[in-house]
Amino acid sequence: MLLMSHIVVFHSALGLRPAITRFADRLRAAGHTVTTPDLYDGEVFDTLEQGVAKRDALGIGELIRRALVAVEKVPSDALYVGFSMGTGAAQLLAATRPGARGAVLLHGALPIEALELDAWPASVPLQIHVTTEDPWVDASAVEQLAARVPTIEVHRYVGEQHLFTDEGSPEHLPDAARAAERETLRFLAQHAL
């Protein structure tokens, strides 16, 4: 019998766009319970510049507060998925919330020190998906995590597109997006309850 988990999916700086809700629906179809917090109160954007302006207007502290409120009623043994900006919330919660089962980071990652941690928790696996030349991704943060996280998978896709999994974005890379989703589903099933 395949065991399923509660998964929290955090959106990118573009907001809770249809691509994110469709992704969440596919997780539900695979048997998972999924929560998709809307950190932007319904606002969505077409460009990263617009979305980053919204992120900056809210501030990182407010976004963290909203993410923490969003998971108050979520079981502590959840898995977290983050897209771009959402990787910060997913990574923080996976690293600091007792019982977290793992995280998938699509389009970004933070260095461990940015989370104000000395080390990544040994019991929390991590999976990262980035393109090889993405100007929005700190490659050194990905390399640091690869060297310091006990259980980690890093998947790199050729290209410079940032939101390559978002089928509504001009950066969409269909083959890479399918591969990333396939590996994400495998990881989530592997680390389910």
Side-chain angles (χ1 to χ4, degrees):
M1 182 174 109
L2 191 57
L3 300 172
M4 299 301 151
S5 289
H6 197 114
I7 300 167
V8 182
V9 178
F10 289 100
H11 61 75
S12 75
L14 298 182
L16 189 57
R17 288 164 47 95
I20 302 296
T21 56
R22 285 192 295 270
F23 172 81
D25 287 343
R26 291 190 294 274
L27 294 180
R28 290 182 186 102
H32 299 288
T33 300
V34 183
T35 299
T36 54
D38 184 349
L39 304 182
Y40 279 6
D41 301 319
E43 284 189 80
V44 294
F45 302 95
D46 293 323
T47 70
L48 282 172
E49 291 75 17
Q50 292 169 330
V52 168
K54 173 66 175 185
R55 177 201 70 189
D56 293 346
L58 288 171
I60 299 301
E62 174 61 13
L63 289 168
I64 291 170
R65 186 196 68 75
R66 290 177 180 210
L68 292 172
V69 168
V71 300
E72 284 178 348
K73 295 182 180 176
V74 170
S76 60
D77 56 2
L79 287 145
Y80 300 93
V81 176
F83 288 82
S84 188
M85 176 193 80
T87 63
Q91 198 173 344
L92 177 67
L93 289 165
T96 62
R97 197 163 187 233
R101 300 192 59 81
V104 176
L105 311 178
L106 294 133
H107 322 292
L110 295 172
I112 292 171
E113 291 75 19
L115 304 171
E116 299 183 0
L117 298 173
D118 295 325
W120 185 262
S123 63
V124 180
L126 191 59
Q127 186 183 73
I128 300 173
H129 298 268
V130 294
T131 55
T132 54
E133 305 298 325
D134 185 343
W136 289 88
V137 172
D138 180 354
S140 66
V142 175
E143 293 308 317
Q144 182 220 56
L145 290 168
R148 294 178 58 190
V149 174
T151 305
I152 188 167
E153 300 174 18
V154 179
H155 299 271
R156 293 179 180 87
Y157 308 89
V158 175
E160 60 183 24
Q161 294 83 346
H162 182 58
L163 296 176
F164 68 91
T165 64
D166 184 339
E167 66 263 19
S169 166
E171 298 183 317
H172 185 232
L173 297 174
D175 292 342
R178 280 191 295 275
E181 185 166 321
R182 182 176 57 250
E183 290 302 317
T184 296
L185 287 168
R186 179 194 53 76
F187 178 92
L188 295 172
Q190 179 182 346
H191 299 289
L193 295 176

